[in-house]
Amino acid sequence: MLVCKHWKGIVEWSPILWTDVWLGRAPKHVDPGEDWIAWLEALFARSRTMPLTLTILVSFVDLEAAGQVLLQHFPRCKALVIQPPESQTDLPFKTAHQKLSSVHHILSFPLPNLQNFVISGSDFLYNPDRRGPLLLDAPNLQFLSSYSSHIIPFVKAHGSPPTHDSLETFSFNAGWRDVMDMLPRTAVSLPGLKTLNLTCTDDLWTILQILDTPNLERLVVQCGLADWFLEVDTPTPVLSNLRELTWYTDPGADNEIPNLLHLLQHCPNMESFLYSCKSSSPGAKRSYFLTRWDVDDMILALCDRLDETHDSSPRLCPRLKRLQLASASYEQVRELVLLRPALEYVSLQYRTPGEDVVRQSKATWREKVDLIRWIKSKVDFELERNEVAVGSDLEEEEGVVWDPSGRLLRD
């Protein structure tokens, strides 16, 4: 489409139109060599001194070659994303392997305006020629997220004790164990942190020691193949302001429930607790019921009272309002509802095997249906959808099937 010189000039000389920059493949008319650097300089020049939102498709950009140009304009960045192409089909035949030293170099200078930073990419995109955390000198950073196990970003704190005031959301992937010995020995205070997302970490307790988060409200733990000790001997801070805990279980995690219970003991004011599998696939469901035989210990702990009197409050998380579990029997849910009058919402990701079909008397089936209805009269109760096909010779209510002849078992 042809554009007249007048409008072309307006576009090129309107800095606001050039503040959202994506660096990927060079245009077809630009030589990938020196011409590309000149084109890059011209592109940044059009935004003049305005704050930038910069996305770098790391597969296409040689950070070492472009470093000098990027360093001139990084201080203007308010948002910076370093990522691979969204589609693997977009990867070039010969993918650039970025040196970690180049990534660390261009991000080692002050970033006074940076508020959001995200870095991701498969490990094969990086050449691990150096080790250590990526310390960001970004005093106004609010959102920090890493999905790479090679690049472990951390904020550069200042003062005594070391403090970073503005960070509100911190999310990172595996890899901390490789740099744990190079992190600060004293706790880093993050008074503004509201959300912390930990993925695939064996070092949960060490991280909670390193990060002083007095105002943390939301914690997400994706335990992955974590290998925890049966007993926690690391001092654990009381997360008195924590309101939401999301814990994604994994069949390969060792000693998961004892460590989860230890964490719950340090969350006295928590109002929402989600314990589930990350995936709801049939395979994930089978793995869960084959390996997580100790989940009943957690449910029993949630039903435990401070003492033996009937009116006593729960020992763990007495203010709990929302509870989402991977599975539980209806009787266990009833005990939770009876003990916890503050509960407003309960959901089960999976129905416990055998809970959805009753082969005993119709009275037994009716008791189970009535129990579900009683629970629903007390709390908002959500269940996994029952996929059992009900025929004319079967009865079903509240997702529970009465099958006195055992037809479903034979099928």
Side-chain angles (χ1 to χ4, degrees):
M1 182 176 65
L2 298 177
V3 180
C4 71
K5 290 183 178 180
H6 172 72
W7 286 109
K8 183 175 181 289
I10 290 178
V11 170
E12 290 183 351
W13 291 98
S14 298
I16 190 65
L17 300 178
W18 300 94
T19 57
D20 191 351
V21 180
W22 283 68
L23 296 185
R25 286 192 178 98
K28 293 181 179 180
H29 64 277
V30 174
D31 185 273
E34 294 182 1
D35 289 349
W36 185 78
I37 298 298
W39 174 82
L40 194 60
E41 291 175 336
L43 179 64
F44 280 118
R46 288 174 177 172
S47 60
R48 298 185 187 177
T49 60
M50 297 196 69
L52 295 174
T53 296
L54 176 60
T55 300
I56 300 176
L57 300 182
V58 71
S59 307
F60 301 114
V61 180
D62 186 340
L63 295 179
E64 192 170 13
Q68 286 302 111
V69 177
L70 294 174
L71 284 174
Q72 296 176 38
H73 302 282
F74 268 4
R76 291 196 284 137
C77 287
K78 64 177 182 180
L80 175 60
V81 178
I82 301 178
Q83 67 177 49
E86 293 184 4
S87 172
Q88 292 299 312
T89 59
D90 291 336
L91 286 172
F93 178 74
K94 185 177 180 181
T95 302
H97 291 265
Q98 305 291 345
K99 292 181 179 179
L100 290 187
S101 56
S102 298
V103 178
H104 282 247
H105 174 68
I106 63 174
L107 293 172
S108 64
F109 292 84
L111 302 165
N113 293 307
L114 192 64
Q115 298 177 10
N116 296 280
F117 178 70
V118 178
I119 188 163
S120 62
S122 302
D123 290 342
F124 76 86
L125 292 176
Y126 298 102
N127 175 12
D129 63 333
R130 65 157 291 165
R131 186 174 75 91
L134 172 62
L135 295 178
L136 298 171
D137 188 2
N140 294 302
L141 190 64
Q142 299 174 11
F143 182 93
L144 173 57
S145 181
S146 172
Y147 300 97
S148 168
S149 59
H150 276 336
I151 301 174
I152 313 299
F154 198 61
V155 290
K156 183 178 289 188
H158 300 278
S160 181
T163 303
H164 189 285
D165 291 312
S166 63
L167 191 63
E168 298 177 1
T169 300
F170 190 10
S171 176
F172 54 86
N173 208 321
W176 273 65
R177 171 158 291 185
D178 297 333
V179 301
M180 195 65 68
D181 60 323
M182 305 178 71
L183 290 173
R185 295 296 180 183
T186 57
V188 175
S189 179
L190 302 174
L193 195 69
K194 303 294 184 183
T195 301
L196 178 61
N197 189 329
L198 310 177
T199 303
C200 301
T201 175
D202 296 335
D203 303 295
L204 172 64
W205 308 116
T206 305
I207 290 170
L208 290 179
Q209 273 194 313
I210 292 175
L211 304 180
D212 178 19
T213 57
N215 299 306
L216 188 68
E217 296 178 357
R218 290 171 293 277
L219 175 61
V220 180
V221 178
Q222 301 183 46
C223 61
L225 302 178
D227 184 13
W228 286 303
F229 293 108
L230 183 60
E231 296 184 2
V232 182
D233 57 5
T234 306
T236 306
V238 176
L239 304 175
S240 56
N241 281 305
L242 193 73
R243 296 297 185 266
E244 301 176 21
L245 172 62
T246 298
W247 185 287
Y248 292 111
T249 183
D250 190 285
D254 290 332
N255 300 314
E256 177 194 38
I257 296 301
N259 281 265
L260 173 55
L261 290 176
H262 182 77
L263 179 60
L264 291 176
Q265 292 170 7
H266 294 79
C267 306
N269 298 312
M270 191 170 67
E271 297 179 352
S272 176
F273 174 41
L274 182 148
Y275 174 86
S276 72
C277 298
K278 187 70 172 177
S279 170
S280 295
S281 68
K285 182 177 180 178
R286 285 193 297 271
S287 297
Y288 171 80
F289 284 111
L290 285 172
T291 58
R292 291 271 68 94
W293 49 268
D294 51 355
V295 170
D296 282 351
D297 294 342
M298 178 186 67
I299 297 175
L300 286 172
L302 290 173
C303 292
D304 192 19
R305 303 175 187 274
L306 282 172
D307 55 52
E308 297 302 321
T309 61
H310 180 71
D311 294 330
S312 176
S313 298
R315 184 184 300 275
L316 292 178
C317 313
R319 300 185 180 184
L320 204 59
K321 296 179 180 180
R322 295 178 60 86
L323 181 59
Q324 299 170 262
L325 298 173
S327 70
S329 69
Y330 302 136
E331 288 75 15
Q332 289 173 326
V333 175
R334 176 180 59 193
E335 290 301 311
L336 288 166
V337 171
L338 286 172
L339 176 64
R340 297 177 173 274
L343 267 182
E344 299 173 356
Y345 174 82
V346 178
S347 74
L348 303 180
Q349 185 181 19
Y350 305 131
R351 290 176 184 260
T352 302
E355 287 274 77
D356 53 352
V357 178
V358 174
R359 297 183 180 88
Q360 294 88 353
S361 66
K362 191 170 186 177
T364 302
W365 170 70
R366 177 56 60 189
E367 287 177 3
K368 185 164 289 189
V369 171
D370 289 344
L371 175 55
I372 296 175
R373 288 177 176 165
W374 178 87
I375 295 172
K376 288 185 174 181
S377 72
K378 301 298 181 181
V379 297
D380 185 5
F381 186 39
E382 289 190 9
L383 283 161
E384 178 190 27
R385 182 179 177 182
N386 194 341
E387 300 294 342
V388 175
V390 179
S392 58
D393 58 332
L394 301 175
E395 292 189 47
E396 180 271 332
E397 292 183 27
E398 300 295 344
V400 180
V401 178
W402 184 44
D403 180 24
S405 65
R407 180 173 70 82
L408 294 177
L409 183 62
R410 292 193 302 272
D411 295 343

